[in-house]
Amino acid sequence: MADPKGFLNHGREVAESRPVEERVKDWNEVYVPGSLLPIISKQASRCMDCGIPFCHNGCPLGNLIPEWNDFAYREDWQAASERLHATNNFPEFTGRLCPAPCESACVLGINQPAVTIKNVEVSIIDKAWETGSVAPQAPERLSGKTVAVIGSGPAGLAAAQQLTRAGHTVAVYERADRIGGLLRYGIPEFKMEKRHINRRIEQMRAEGTKFRTGVEIGRDLDAAKLRKRYDAVVIAAGATTARDLPVPGRDLDGIHQAMEYLPLSNKVQEGDYVAPPITAEGKHVVVIGGGDTGADCVGTAHRQGAASVTQLEIMPRPGEDRAPHQPWPTFPMLYKVTSAHEEGGERVYSVSTTHFEGDEDGRVRSLHLIEVEFVDGKLTQKPGTERVIPAQLVTLAMGFTGTDQDNGMVGQFGLDLDERGNIARDADYETNVPGVFVAGDAGRGQSLIVWAIAEGRSAARGVDKFLTGVSSLPRPVRPTDRSLVV
Ligand SMILES: Cc1cc2nc3c(=O)[nH]c(=O)nc-3n(C[C@H](O)[C@H](O)[C@H](O)COP(=O)(O)OP(=O)(O)OC[C@H]3O[C@@H](n4cnc5c(N)ncnc54)[C@H](O)[C@@H]3O)c2cc1C
Ligand code: SF4
């Protein structure tokens, strides 16, 4: 155990953010570089090393949290990094981007602020990279088996790394021009600088994983042919089909899916554009959807110099404390102030968009909304509450309905879908097509990075077993696991 009195002697402290007026002028991560390390050992000492560490169950990866807290407290960064990597291929992603369901399940959180697990995680891995202790782990011998991974988001990367290290020859196919999935083109630089992905890709290349960008399976390469070429296939193609808003005026210029807007800004940071082809500069921006994707649009619009930013959410504003039906250690729906919300803008809850109005050039000019409330369990419009707000750029961030079915991949493989429209799989992540596996959002539906990594690791075990008859690779989660959390 770290320090038996740590939680009595120290309160919770988290990473310090840069002042808003400074950070909205650039795209770097919002945190003060180096601010965590001086406080992190004390923070790790607050861990009580509980007899039953509920945080393990809160984390979909089953991260060995009390063990690495103890090492972080003792400043044994090498041992802490080894424990962290035992369950997580990419802690620098989760340590920056995870909503930390582990902290909702922390026992200290019953009557005190939880241990800042996510900050400890990112400190350990940043220190490990800084000291050069994250080395490639090439396999000692090759199995002679080949695996194609479709999609290079966190699920595909985790599956590829596990399988490469198990000795299989792995090629990752990605339709985009760069590797990383939503980590690369979706999540803005100010939440995670892309150098963290590049570093991992270099490690994976050195281990032997091959990457093929600009190849869309189904469109550029027939899926059935791919299956014949490889001994096994892992589909990690994400759930990229966005939910739309079919109301009058939807086809006006200036109304875009969030994922048409956000990647352009990522591409500016990559040096592909001088200025983004769709920009919020000088415009009244409305973001429809109150989740993570919406918050990313808000932060991006601030940095592009929007005249105003309004975020609309159809559901009521969540409470600031746990609701009775979301007791500890479940992951509660709470009112969240993300870094993007700290930077300004207005958030409007319990409203629904009825239609858009345009100007004579066919560009969106305003958005009409109406308040809604639950009546007999159904969201119902409140008569007389209509109003109009200015809108010159609208982004739709209302979630995703499943994996892309337009490119022909699903049909060419002959895959079954489940009742939610995701690619169906069994307990070993194998689809109805022998030797074809599925991991991450493509099988689970829109979810989180931590689940994608956990599924990629688990599917790798299924593939390894399929190829060799047995597997010693870990399986953190089953496809049906929802556990206590999101
Ligand atoms: C804007 C945004 C912000 C988010 N922020 C967070 C956050 O802060 N924290 C968090 O935990 N989660 C967040 N999420 C969710 C998280 O990013 C996803 O759950 C996660 O990336 C899913 O990983 P994946 O590997 O399954 O799929 P993806 O990351 O979607 O990767 C799938 C990849 O497959 C490729 N592909 C698809 N079809 C083909 C094909 N036929 N051939 C070749 N390649 C193909 C795609 O181009 C893509 O690169 C966010 C999501 C969005 C949209
Ligand atoms: S991956 Fe997420 S849930 Fe797991 S320990 Fe890290 S922050 Fe917590």
Side-chain angles (χ1 to χ4, degrees), residues 97-99 150-156 173-176 180-183 186-187 191 215-217 236-240 259 262 292-293 296 400 407 409 439-442 447-450 452:
L97 299 166
C98 188
I150 304 174
S152 68
Y173 287 84
E174 169 56 58
R175 66 183 174 189
L182 289 172
L183 298 167
I187 288 164
K191 267 171 60 177
V215 185
E216 182 162 12
I217 304 304
T240 53
M259 284 303 293
L262 291 171
D292 273 342
T293 307
D296 291 351
F400 299 85
N407 55 28
M409 179 187 74
D441 283 7
S447 184
L448 294 174
I449 291 155
V450 63

Side-chain angles (χ1 to χ4, degrees), residues 179-410:
I179 296 297
L182 289 172
L183 298 167
R184 172 82 60 185
Y185 288 136
I187 288 164
E189 192 85 4
F190 58 81
K191 267 171 60 177
M192 187 179 77
E193 290 167 14
K194 305 308 163 197
R195 63 191 171 91
H196 301 295
I197 313 175
N198 299 342
R199 216 161 43 176
R200 273 295 169 188
I201 305 304
E202 284 318 304
Q203 183 202 32
M204 291 181 66
R205 279 191 216 279
E207 290 169 353
T209 306
K210 306 271 183 280
F211 293 97
R212 314 254 185 274
T213 52
V215 185
E216 182 162 12
I217 304 304
R219 204 161 263 144
D220 301 320
L221 189 56
D222 185 87
K225 282 195 189 138
L226 183 85
R227 174 67 195 95
K228 283 206 189 103
R229 205 187 281 176
Y230 288 87
D231 295 312
V233 174
V234 180
I235 301 172
T240 53
T241 307
R243 189 168 285 120
D244 215 314
L245 184 63
V247 298
R250 164 66 182 92
D251 52 355
L252 288 165
D253 281 351
I255 304 175
H256 303 276
Q257 283 291 349
M259 284 303 293
E260 291 164 359
Y261 170 64
L262 291 171
L264 297 175
S265 171
N266 295 124
K267 281 178 166 280
V268 173
Q269 303 314 308
E270 297 279 3
D272 297 349
Y273 296 117
V274 177
I278 304 172
T279 178
E281 190 177 356
K283 294 179 185 158
H284 294 291
V285 177
V286 180
V287 177
I288 303 181
D292 273 342
T293 307
D296 291 351
C297 292
V298 170
T300 300
H302 287 318
R303 280 164 182 73
Q304 290 177 344
S308 72
V309 184
T310 308
Q311 188 177 17
L312 307 181
E313 169 57 50
I314 197 164
M315 298 301 284
R317 183 187 191 274
E320 289 182 23
D321 298 312
R322 284 180 184 274
H325 65 282
Q326 294 175 332
W328 179 91
T330 60
F331 186 72
M333 286 298 294
L334 294 180
Y335 178 69
K336 245 182 19 181
V337 181
T338 68
S339 69
H341 296 122
E342 287 168 2
E343 293 161 4
E346 192 192 353
R347 295 158 89 180
V348 185
Y349 288 90
S350 298
V351 289
S352 172
T353 302
T354 57
H355 61 283
F356 300 101
E357 252 179 331
D359 60 19
E360 53 285 359
D361 298 326
R363 288 200 58 83
V364 65
R365 183 175 59 188
S366 59
L367 178 152
H368 290 240
L369 56 81
I370 186 164
E371 291 177 22
V372 292
E373 62 184 344
F374 277 103
V375 177
D376 296 332
K378 264 186 69 183
L379 267 180
T380 312
Q381 296 187 346
K382 283 162 79 174
T385 61
E386 300 87 353
R387 60 182 199 271
V388 187
I389 56 172
Q392 294 161 320
L393 172 68
V394 177
T395 63
L396 308 178
M398 301 178 305
F400 299 85
T401 56
T403 206
D404 186 350
Q405 292 197 43
D406 292 340
N407 55 28
M409 179 187 74
V410 168

Side-chain angles (χ1 to χ4, degrees), residues 58-61 63 65 68 88 94 98 100-102 117-118 121 450:
C59 173
L61 284 160
N63 273 350
I65 296 160
W68 41 258
N88 189 353
T94 47
C98 188
C102 54
I117 299 169
K118 177 174 158 177
E121 182 175 29
V450 63

